[in-house]
Amino acid sequence: MRRPLGVLLCLGSLTALGTSIATAQAVAAPEAAPQAAPQTAPQAAPQAACRVYAAKPRVADGRIRASAARLGCDDTALVRVRILRAVPGTDRIVKSASLRGVNGRVTARMGCTPGVYYTVATDYTGNTSRSRPVRISCSPTGTPAPTPTATPTPAPATPTASPSPTQGSSTADEVVRLTNAERRKAGCGALVHDPQLRAAAQGHSADMAAKNYFSHTSQDGRTMTDRIKASGFSPMRAWAENIAMGQRTPAEVVQGWMNSSGHRANILNCTYTHIGVGVANSARGIYWTQNFARH
């Protein structure tokens, strides 16, 4: 008998077949041996002879600097670098610079104002490049601060060393309980509901709910790896993330994940020792996030 359309589960992609959706991702450090297929970068296609490169903005001598380079080219072109600031609505170009030539580097400089910035480079012959966004703190050291998780739940200074039913909301704690029940059936140890992973998961659920999107990649470009690192969970030996939207109860979302091979592999991966669960309501439904990791 075919299952009714109502919950859509997929690994790394979305297809709108119902009101509830979920995706899963997993990453492992080289020394880890997780059961889930690790997220790997696609094989790079052969590079064209002529390319432009955009470097992430950085602070030097109290100023924000962003560079673009044109390499491997044999024709003359105008190379332009732009510094953009991520703001609500259309991102704003705050500084640009250009240089005409065959190959070379051009740098744009501006006074330092805290915010999230990224670099866009083009040579007007079809070559473009865009850097990852970074949060600039304008600190004296000139080191960009990590982009924080959106609206995170404050984490205690010292993580608790054992599972506790009072660490998160009752809904999040029930997701942890049901997840650990499935792990016991498979012979895996119980996961600790870690406050730092919980902050990362709650921040991502809240961000998706507030900005009306559904993805492992935040709209400011952060990945699950960026969010978990920003939470302070360290060292990271292996980590993964399950997300879902539209399920109404903890039992429904955990069952939906267990019915999907990718999500099930993350839940039943005995390598992981810690978990964080985030739950956020929106007009579209509830956004759910599970972050798994081990030190």
Side-chain angles (χ1 to χ4, degrees), residues 201-219:
Q202 183 60 37
H204 190 47
S205 286
D207 192 51
M208 290 190 293
K211 298 178 181 177
N212 194 29
Y213 72 98
F214 184 76
S215 174
H216 288 286
T217 302
S218 303
Q219 290 192 327

Side-chain angles (χ1 to χ4, degrees), residues 3 35 88 90 145 188:
R3 295 175 55 201
Q35 297 171 1
T90 303
C188 294

Side-chain angles (χ1 to χ4, degrees), residues 4-107:
L5 298 179
V7 177
L8 172 65
L9 301 174
C10 61
L11 184 63
S13 62
L14 301 178
T15 307
L17 296 182
T19 58
S20 302
I21 51 182
T23 72
Q25 287 187 344
V27 169
E31 63 271 23
Q35 297 171 1
Q39 179 187 11
T40 58
Q43 291 294 325
Q47 293 187 354
C50 179
R51 297 190 66 184
V52 295
Y53 302 86
K56 291 188 296 185
R58 63 187 182 89
V59 176
D61 300 325
R63 295 171 64 83
I64 297 175
R65 302 187 180 201
S67 299
R70 189 174 193 252
L71 302 173
C73 305
D74 56 11
D75 61 331
T76 300
L78 180 69
V79 182
R80 182 173 296 278
V81 58
R82 295 181 176 91
I83 304 175
L84 284 83
R85 182 172 184 177
V87 295
T90 303
D91 291 345
R92 186 163 57 92
I93 298 173
V94 292
K95 194 67 176 180
S96 67
S98 61
L99 176 70
R100 181 175 293 277
V102 178
N103 295 303
R105 177 182 297 272
V106 57
T107 300

